Amino acid sequence: MTPPRFQWPEGNRCACVVSFDVDAESAILQVDAKYATHATTMSHQAYGPRVGVPRLLEQLRAAGIRATFFVPGFTAECYPDTIRRIVADGHEVGWHGYMHELPHELPVAEQRAIIEPVHWSFDDWEQYGFFVDPPLGDSVEPPGKLLEIWQGELEAFREEGCLQVLTMHPFLSGRPARSRTIGRFVTFARELGGVWFATAREVADHARSVLDESGARRLRSALDPAYGMRDGDAT
Ligand SMILES: [Zn+2]
């Protein structure tokens, strides 16, 4: 096997961050505040913090991993006990805007600074997102499809020494069969071996410890040629 492109702690060959966006109602109210009076839409979103998160916490406990939960301020205000349970279980909580503000509404330069490189293949939204009103997403795929995508990429990432960031939404992946995907994926990763499950902060701290500024830019360039090399970067 070729040496990994990046050095991970404790001899691991790759890293995986399991993350959740606890959007709840904020993501829809960001689209239009009128949905506050749509009971079906609001209850669909409230399922995340009310039912999805507790179920996902159980699955994470059983799998023996810690995850990163990105929480809009509005969600934290509406469901403080849910967020306390996340913290009490040892998971990381990260900021997800206040009312799920949309990055694509920011100027391009700001978008580049905060979100590149990004892609959607590990996001549960692409497989499970389905709304009639607002008309967002039209997909109800089986959990096995998402698992297959994650597993295939993990095998390749492990060969190349990459970081895999899984993104789930408790109102989507907190449903019974879907939530079990996490345990299956962790079992698959443990059987492969050499996969470091870490929180986003642990990965960031590790990256800071092994990369200086020009090294960080070189890594980005390797991942996304659009970044290009900057003046002064060592080759
Ligand atoms: Zn979100």
Side-chain angles (χ1 to χ4, degrees), residues 118-232:
V118 67
H119 70 106
W120 288 80
S121 56
F122 302 144
D123 196 305
D124 64 354
W125 174 262
E126 294 304 299
Q127 311 308 328
Y128 302 148
F130 182 92
F131 277 94
V132 175
D133 185 17
L136 302 169
D138 56 4
S139 198
V140 184
E141 296 287 347
K145 183 181 170 198
L146 189 58
L147 182 62
E148 189 182 338
I149 293 169
W150 288 352
Q151 289 176 338
E153 290 286 2
L154 182 68
E155 282 181 311
F157 275 25
R158 185 173 167 276
E159 284 175 22
E160 297 201 18
C162 303
L163 164 66
Q164 184 174 34
V165 180
L166 309 183
T167 304
M168 286 167 272
H169 299 79
F171 63 84
L172 297 172
S173 281
R175 301 214 162 247
R178 294 171 179 175
S179 72
R180 267 71 174 170
T181 307
I182 296 169
R184 295 200 181 104
F185 178 75
V186 172
T187 299
F188 175 82
R190 295 231 164 95
E191 282 168 4
L192 276 181
V195 180
W196 182 45
F197 282 99
T199 65
R201 186 188 185 109
E202 286 166 345
V203 169
D205 286 346
H206 173 69
R208 262 190 226 105
S209 76
V210 297
L211 289 172
D212 60 15
E213 181 60 20
S214 84
R217 284 205 293 270
R218 279 203 306 282
L219 179 68
R220 288 178 183 162
S221 300
L223 295 171
D224 180 358
Y227 269 99
M229 299 295 284
R230 308 291 210 279
D231 286 346

Side-chain angles (χ1 to χ4, degrees), residues 20-24 26-27 70 72 96 100 167-169 171:
F20 299 89
D21 291 355
V22 194
D23 297 340
S26 70
F70 292 100
H96 199 39
H100 205 268
T167 304
M168 286 167 272
H169 299 79
F171 63 84

